[in-house]
Amino acid sequence: MTNGQRTLRVIEPNLAGPSGHYAEWVRAVAARRGDVFGRIEVDASVRSAGMAELAPGVELRPTFEGSSRTAEWAAMRRALAAGGPFVVLTANAFHATALEAVALLDRRPDTALRDARLYFHWCERSPARRVAAAMAPRTRRNALAIAPTASIAGFLRETGWQRVREVPYPALAPAAVPPARERCTHLLVAGAARMNKGLPLVADLAERLGRAKDPMRLVVQTTPKRASGRRGSQEESELARLMASGAPGLEASDTAPPSDEYGARFDGALTLAPYDPGTFADAVSGIVLDALLRGSPCVATAGTWPGRLVERFGAGATFPARSADAFADAVARTLADWPAVAARAQAAAHALAREHDPAHLVRTLAEE
């Protein structure tokens, strides 16, 4: 079978619609599949049924209803039986032990496990997760573990994974980066409303804008977590505070925008990413990556992956975690230095477009 006839299978229960980072990940890989993969088949949520084509050469298979470990087990079992490369897009210790069990149950040789690609978005440092991963020695020897950051790759090697590849998170840059604006037009909070993405700090900032003499327009996406489709009580409380803030330029959207509209929101925006370092110390922020790829400066929490990216290019400001005063000050400092910050964000856009080109990941996924 030639490379162009090969099929890549993707397993992602959370892919439920045309927007969001699961869908964008698949689009990015599909855009660079070239003569490497003839098609991509995605086992996705049943909520994806009837969805328009996600990208040329991509077939969506409505498979998962809610969060079902049994259904994921079955999907991995089918993929191993079919042969050829497949990727678990949001991999964790469960998937390692499940592959170990499936290979044992079906008497698969070690070579079959080499078809598996496990994409790790974060480090699982808890003792229970470490024990679970340790129970999958054949998987850790043979499956390909893919990490989007150096710290995650290092963690995987330390915990016994032998085939580890560090590949920058795949992101399609826009055809043209919007030119820098002379002034910031709005503050932007993109992505689902979550506590670990600093929702309380955003609500506090909105209250400050409500008291300001010349407030900046604030655009906030208030959609719930994509995986569950629900909000917790704390999130509901903070969103209520946000909506009652009295910020005169507040625009809140409870619907995830289509891909084109999502990208357009970054034009002229200062993107806000006051994320919890407990979650984002190692993990990539697709929001901040999307922002910088479009020349949008960012304010991010120090000690996080997005914060380090902002600091690397000087394309915004960082602030100490969970400090509302420091967050507001970082926003003010960035706005005061807007022309220089916006120019550095433009430079970041061109550098990151090369580094995060999905072609790098496609080559890794095709590795024998």
Side-chain angles (χ1 to χ4, degrees):
M1 180 181 292
T2 64
N3 278 348
Q5 295 174 315
R6 298 176 76 192
T7 295
L8 173 68
R9 293 174 176 85
V10 179
I11 298 172
E12 183 43 75
N14 293 313
L15 202 165
S19 61
H21 287 288
Y22 303 112
E24 294 297 341
W25 191 98
V26 173
R27 279 196 193 94
V29 170
R32 295 291 189 268
R33 62 188 173 88
D35 60 357
V36 179
F37 295 112
R39 58 188 283 106
I40 298 174
E41 297 175 357
V42 185
D43 286 339
S45 166
V46 295
R47 289 183 289 165
S48 68
M51 195 172 84
E53 184 182 53
L54 188 62
V58 175
E59 178 188 347
L60 289 178
R61 295 179 171 180
T63 302
F64 302 104
E65 189 163 7
S67 178
S68 170
R69 292 303 196 193
T70 302
E72 288 188 82
W73 168 295
M76 288 185 285
R77 191 176 191 181
R78 289 193 300 271
L80 272 180
F86 68 95
V87 57
V88 178
L89 177 47
T90 309
N92 55 41
F94 159 77
H95 300 100
T97 54
L99 281 170
E100 190 85 3
V102 165
L104 179 65
L105 181 66
D106 293 346
R107 298 181 180 180
R108 301 286 176 197
D110 283 5
T111 51
L113 285 167
R114 292 182 69 84
D115 287 335
R117 289 90 172 88
L118 277 68
Y119 195 96
F120 289 92
H121 294 261
W122 55 82
C123 301
E124 294 186 297
R125 302 186 188 278
S126 73
R129 292 288 186 167
R130 285 173 177 262
V131 169
M135 293 171 64
R138 289 178 66 203
T139 302
R140 287 183 293 137
R141 281 197 307 271
N142 294 284
L144 189 65
I146 303 174
T149 69
S151 56
I152 298 174
F155 174 80
L156 291 169
R157 292 187 183 100
E158 290 167 7
T159 50
W161 293 85
Q162 295 185 18
R163 297 178 65 210
V164 178
R165 303 291 181 270
E166 179 193 343
V167 187
Y169 190 89
L172 282 173
V177 180
R181 300 288 191 101
E182 291 184 5
R183 295 183 60 191
C184 176
T185 60
H186 59 288
L187 307 177
L188 175 65
V189 181
R194 287 161 41 186
M195 294 298 289
N196 62 15
K197 288 194 170 184
L199 187 56
L201 293 178
V202 173
D204 182 89
L205 181 65
E207 290 176 338
R208 292 171 188 245
L209 292 173
R211 299 190 296 268
K213 292 181 179 179
D214 185 21
M216 177 70 69
R217 185 163 62 102
L218 175 63
V219 179
V220 183
Q221 185 177 321
T222 59
T223 51
K225 300 173 187 176
R226 191 171 303 278
S228 65
R230 298 187 300 273
R231 298 191 188 96
S233 58
Q234 288 181 305
E235 289 157 344
E236 291 286 5
S237 175
E238 294 299 336
L239 282 173
R241 186 160 71 94
L242 172 74
M243 300 308 295
S245 65
L250 176 63
E251 297 179 19
S253 171
D254 210 26
T255 304
S259 183
D260 289 348
E261 182 184 335
Y262 165 79
R265 289 185 179 184
F266 293 102
D267 186 10
L270 172 57
T271 300
L272 308 180
Y275 299 166
D276 180 6
T279 302
F280 287 92
D282 305 300
V284 168
S285 164
I287 298 294
V288 170
L289 184 55
D290 288 341
L292 291 177
L293 282 169
R294 290 160 177 79
S296 170
C298 302
V299 169
T301 311
T304 62
W305 181 90
R308 290 190 292 274
L309 194 64
V310 170
E311 291 168 349
R312 172 187 164 191
F313 291 101
T318 59
F319 68 98
R322 303 180 186 88
S323 170
D325 289 340
F327 178 43
D329 179 66
V331 171
R333 284 188 284 113
T334 305
L335 292 174
D337 194 29
W338 183 259
V341 169
R344 292 193 288 269
Q346 293 278 310
H350 297 293
L352 293 172
R354 294 188 296 271
E355 291 178 19
H356 290 267
D357 190 312
H360 305 312
L361 178 60
V362 169
R363 288 193 292 270
T364 299
L365 293 171
E367 183 177 316
E368 295 292 343

